[in-house]
Amino acid sequence: MASTDPRTQVAQPALDDPNSASARAYEPDRQSHDSGREGTLTSGSDGPEKSNKPSAEKQAHAIPDDGVIIVDWDGPDDPANPRNWSTKKKWAAAATVSAFTFISPISSSMVAPAAAQIAEQFHITSSAEASLTVSVFVLAYAVGPLFLGPLSEMYGRVHVLRGGNLWYTAWNLGCGFAQNSGQLIAFRFLAGLGGSAPLATGGAVLSDMWIPEQRGQAIAIYSLAPLLGPVIGPVAGGWIAERSTWRWVFWATTIVAALIQLCGLIFLKETYAPILLEQKAAGIRKGMDPEKGNVREIRTAQSTGKQNMGALWRKSLTRPFIMFAQEPIIQLFGLYMAFIYGVIYLVLTTIPAIFSNVYHEDVGIGGLHYIALGLGLFVTTQINARIIDRVYRKMKARNGGVGLPEFRLLTVFPGTVLIPVGLLMAGWGTHTHWIVVDIGLAMIGSGMILTFQGMQTYVIDAFTMHAASALAAVSFLRSIAGFGFPLFAPAMYNALGYGVGDTILAAFAAVVGPPAVFTFWKYGERIRGMSRYAQRAIVAKK
């Protein structure tokens, strides 16, 4: 019979998964706990306490004078744990995060069809400067997540998401009132900083709410937003630029962003477990009565006691850089996703030139060809969302009930083939009918979404506790590529032509993509075993 003396009670948190329900009480000599188990309750006592939710007063009296009250989830079925929220509440939060992630990338490319109009009004003669008015927004995507991701792990997801969108909305509105190219570029960069918030924390929010066997579908839909947004944006932007003024490109997105902000205030709730447990602890502290002498130190199951705030800031804000420097997973996936992200922004900025110069179409009609890219993204997402979790569960069952992040990579392999084939068709198709180019664009979109969804889910599964920092490190490289590729695209295609230029990109995609994915499929578990941050514990079945 295990001792129930309160003096022996200490908490041991789930180290890798902040939303796991760790035991509320352990004996020091029986601290056996699988830190990777999700939704399990492990305890050194023979049974649960009589009351699952004791009052602050009772908890205080249950601890000796030199004891510490440890606050944790009230068992594996605690409704306060985001993993136990209703399906309706989870999807409301997921849809809101996806909306945040959708509107910002729309702004990144919606101005592309209006770039010529802007260059004419502001007397921009350099093609690089004209491209900069479009791509500088994506440069901010590289900078913002490096501090917004860690901040979400310090202060919670909700504050970062709402605050970031509000910042984006304000500066995006300012872009519509810019009086020269310098102001427009500066305002675009500042808007991009706020717009990067959902890219830094959105995937982590989904990780907070769903276990690995269920989160694939949510991430598949969420991953569509940052890729589909830049496709839809130019379609609308082309017609706005043709029928009105380029300023309405910014004003229209500002109106939509304000509506999404309102939805965020209503439907988006905090999901990060350490913050929720700290809020619970704060309620217990407030309920203590100093006059009765029952004030005790209170900690959450995932805190390590008092910390120096300066040291905490330094540790959190430098974590993405450390992860990028030390984690092979981040480095290799980051480089490949950077190439893919750069390609999509290169494609986005060259579509107007292709259909205007080669096929002699108006801006509005030429913008409709973005739909081909969007169809590839959307249709593939619908298919992959239905199979990604099914594949994971099937592979987990074959592996004795043990789930591994590497199981996410099976759906990535087709994407590494579709991208180079699509680039070849889109490049050389410019010598034939425009439908060949559109088919190539659709294949590029299909390959990109398969790659993004699988790799992003892999990173989230591997770095559960620090998912936001890991995603920030990955997004840094890809955003730099998204910023830089459109700057050299005009010079490359002018010198080489669309066929040869896209052949070079296709060759790089074919040489890097399949070997990288195969390496992590075969050796990923071993690589994670050497990692400081990756989840090394077994993800056990519930």
Side-chain angles (χ1 to χ4, degrees):
M1 180 71 70
S3 168
T4 57
D5 185 347
R7 288 171 295 183
T8 67
Q9 296 180 341
V10 295
Q12 180 166 325
L15 299 177
D16 289 305
D17 194 339
N19 291 74
S20 294
S22 55
R24 298 186 61 204
Y26 291 82
E27 288 186 12
D29 59 346
R30 297 181 63 181
Q31 293 180 357
S32 176
H33 181 63
D34 180 358
S35 64
R37 291 187 181 272
E38 296 189 23
T40 60
L41 181 65
T42 308
S43 178
S45 60
D46 287 331
E49 299 177 33
K50 292 182 180 180
S51 173
N52 285 335
K53 295 184 179 180
S55 66
E57 199 73 27
K58 289 182 179 179
Q59 284 194 24
H61 285 301
I63 303 296
D65 290 342
D66 57 349
V68 176
I69 296 177
I70 303 297
V71 179
D72 201 354
W73 301 122
D74 295 330
D77 300 318
D78 187 347
N81 187 339
R83 292 277 173 90
N84 298 321
W85 285 357
S86 67
T87 302
K88 183 179 179 181
K89 187 175 182 180
K90 286 182 180 180
W91 278 107
T96 305
V97 171
S98 296
F100 278 130
T101 315
F102 179 70
I103 186 60
S104 172
I106 278 184
S107 294
S108 70
S109 62
M110 193 170 177
V111 71
Q117 194 180 107
I118 293 172
E120 182 180 356
Q121 181 168 343
F122 291 152
H123 308 292
I124 299 173
T125 56
S126 167
S127 61
E129 185 179 356
S131 297
L132 190 62
T133 61
V134 178
S135 61
V136 71
F137 192 93
V138 187
L139 177 62
Y141 279 2
V143 179
L146 294 176
F147 61 89
L148 292 175
L151 285 176
S152 77
E153 294 169 349
M154 296 172 64
Y155 300 107
R157 320 292 195 198
V158 167
H159 295 308
V160 171
L161 284 168
R162 291 175 181 167
N165 188 68
L166 189 62
W167 178 272
Y168 152 75
T169 302
W171 288 108
N172 192 62
L173 177 64
C175 288
F177 293 98
Q179 298 302 309
N180 53 61
S181 61
Q183 288 182 5
L184 180 61
I185 292 171
F187 293 169
R188 288 272 288 166
F189 180 80
L190 291 170
L193 288 178
S196 69
L199 300 180
T201 63
V205 170
L206 304 184
S207 175
D208 293 340
M209 294 189 293
W210 275 284
I211 60 174
E213 293 87 343
Q214 299 171 348
R215 72 170 64 120
Q217 184 177 9
I219 292 176
I221 295 173
Y222 160 78
S223 300
L224 177 64
L227 296 178
L228 190 59
V231 172
I232 293 177
V235 176
W239 289 106
I240 292 174
E242 187 173 310
R243 305 280 175 165
S244 181
T245 170
W246 61 266
R247 297 184 185 276
W248 266 106
V249 170
F250 298 104
W251 296 337
T253 49
T254 298
I255 292 171
V256 176
L259 294 175
I260 293 174
Q261 180 77 2
L262 182 62
C263 292
L265 295 173
I266 299 172
F267 299 111
L268 189 60
K269 309 298 180 185
E270 184 56 62
T271 62
Y272 193 45
I275 298 298
L276 293 173
L277 290 175
E278 185 55 44
Q279 292 173 356
K280 184 177 179 182
I284 295 174
R285 293 188 192 101
K286 188 176 180 180
M288 288 184 167
D289 189 351
E291 295 182 358
K292 295 183 179 180
N294 64 349
V295 176
R296 298 288 183 270
E297 181 182 352
I298 297 176
R299 298 180 192 169
T300 67
Q302 296 171 20
S303 70
T304 57
K306 296 181 179 179
Q307 301 186 56
N308 179 276
M309 185 56 67
L312 182 62
W313 266 76
R314 285 192 298 273
K315 181 179 179 181
S316 297
L317 294 178
T318 57
R319 187 181 296 123
F321 298 96
I322 294 172
M323 295 179 78
F324 178 75
Q326 297 180 349
E327 299 289 344
I329 298 172
I330 301 296
Q331 293 165 357
L332 195 53
F333 278 15
L335 283 171
Y336 185 63
M337 291 177 73
F339 170 76
I340 299 304
Y341 206 66
V343 166
I344 196 169
Y345 271 92
L346 185 148
V347 169
L348 290 171
T349 54
T350 55
I351 283 178
I354 289 174
F355 291 98
S356 174
N357 299 333
V358 177
Y359 297 102
H360 309 292
E361 295 177 350
D362 294 334
V363 175
I365 297 297
L368 294 177
H369 292 278
Y370 285 97
I371 296 175
L373 188 64
L375 278 175
L377 293 167
F378 182 77
V379 173
T380 307
T381 294
Q382 296 306 305
I383 297 172
N384 199 39
R386 286 165 171 77
I387 67 172
I388 189 169
D389 284 332
R390 190 179 305 170
V391 169
Y392 183 90
R393 288 192 294 267
K394 192 171 183 179
M395 294 299 299
K396 179 179 174 180
R398 286 185 181 180
N399 198 39
V402 177
L404 298 174
E406 286 70 35
F407 298 158
R408 304 294 190 185
L409 299 179
L410 277 176
T411 58
V412 177
F413 281 107
T416 62
V417 175
L418 285 169
I419 290 172
V421 174
L423 283 168
L424 290 173
M425 288 191 68
W428 293 106
T430 55
H431 297 283
T432 59
H433 195 273
W434 58 261
I435 193 65
V436 179
V437 179
D438 280 6
I439 293 173
L441 294 175
M443 294 180 71
I444 293 172
S446 181
M448 285 178 174
I449 199 64
L450 286 173
T451 302
F452 262 71
Q453 288 173 349
M455 288 188 172
Q456 185 154 284
T457 311
Y458 180 94
V459 170
I460 290 171
D461 285 355
F463 298 94
T464 307
M465 184 66 175
H466 300 297
S469 292
L471 292 173
V474 170
S475 70
F476 173 76
L477 268 182
R478 80 182 192 196
S479 299
I480 289 291
F483 163 71
F485 271 47
L487 297 181
F488 71 76
M492 181 183 75
Y493 287 125
N494 287 336
L496 302 176
Y498 294 110
V500 176
D502 281 356
T503 299
I504 294 173
L505 297 176
F508 184 86
V511 169
V512 175
V517 177
F518 179 77
T519 298
F520 280 97
W521 169 257
K522 183 120 178 122
Y523 304 106
E525 187 174 7
R526 187 183 304 175
I527 294 171
R528 285 186 294 107
M530 298 182 292
S531 169
R532 174 184 173 186
Y533 291 99
Q535 179 178 333
R536 282 159 280 181
I538 294 173
V539 181
K541 59 183 177 181
K542 290 190 74 176

